[in-house]
Amino acid sequence: MSKVIAVFGAGTGLGVSVARRFGREGFRVALVARRKDRLDALAEVLAGEGIEAAAFPADLSEPAGVPALVEAIRDRLGRIDVVAYGPISGDQGFTPAAELDAATLEALTPLLLFTPVEVVRAVLPEWTERGDGAFLLAQGYSAAHPMPHLSGLGPVMSATRNYLYSLHAELADKGVYAGALTIASLIARSEVSAAAQAAFESADGPRFPVADPDDLAEHYWDMYTRRDRVEQFHPEALAPGAAA
């Protein structure tokens, strides 16, 4: 039975590029996001490229629904070998730290922290039994590098990053890989790039380049196959300790 990648937060940017990159290697694809019509359209595009893909509409801000969602993917595709988790939408924006409150953090936490933890809990028994599996997390640069006026998302993502580092160390000797792709750029063809660019400009924040999601998907494939690092930065020049 061919392997399966489940793309949580499948959209027109990074999600479909990851599906396409792994699909070229023979993976079947589970596409997960809120809107069924968009997922069906992406599945049709991938099918035209010879990649088997199936749509699984779900609201990933509801972590309680994860066990049933994972079971539905298994029922349809037989297994899950890789999870690529990176849902984000225009609904999630930055907040200056001085204006941040508990309600804002509470609204962000289910999607960015609770649900990825629940996804790992749901797939880990299968992976440890098989001695193989991979959880790939996409996160923004503010998870690793706090910036003035661009808070809110960062504190929550940094908690998930902390969790991922611990997970990576605990599972490495079990054949299971956990890694983070930390993206310090906007993503071409992504629906949220324009909104993010506007936020950076209004906050007089950093001017990030625009990344081709195919290049980011290539990072994912390299991380998955090599399994030699817990975190990959894009651009690599912004990684801690990188030469200026």
Side-chain angles (χ1 to χ4, degrees), residues 5 47-48 86 95 119 130 141-142 148 178:
I5 181 171
T95 303
V119 170
R130 189 183 300 139
Y141 189 54
S142 63

Side-chain angles (χ1 to χ4, degrees), residues 18 103 106:
V18 171
E106 186 176 18

Side-chain angles (χ1 to χ4, degrees), residues 66-80:
V66 167
L69 170 60
V70 168
E71 193 59 32
I73 295 172
R74 286 202 190 101
D75 286 346
R76 174 75 179 273
L77 298 175
R79 58 191 288 153
I80 299 173

Side-chain angles (χ1 to χ4, degrees), residues 21-42:
R21 181 64 185 89
F22 280 74
R24 291 205 308 268
E25 304 293 336
F27 278 72
R28 294 170 293 145
V29 181
L31 300 169
V32 183
R34 284 185 298 180
R35 292 185 53 177
K36 185 178 185 302
D37 56 341
R38 292 188 181 182
L39 292 178
D40 288 340
L42 291 177

Side-chain angles (χ1 to χ4, degrees), residues 109-128:
T109 301
L111 180 69
L112 299 178
L113 176 59
F114 295 160
T115 293
V117 170
E118 286 300 300
V119 170
V120 171
R121 283 174 53 84
V123 298
L124 197 53
E126 175 185 358
W127 290 356
T128 53

Side-chain angles (χ1 to χ4, degrees), residues 136-163:
L136 304 171
L137 174 74
Q139 60 183 6
Y141 189 54
S142 63
H145 185 82
M147 292 170 282
H149 307 291
L150 298 175
S151 188
L153 292 168
V156 180
M157 289 189 298
S158 67
T160 310
R161 180 175 183 257
N162 177 289
Y163 161 75

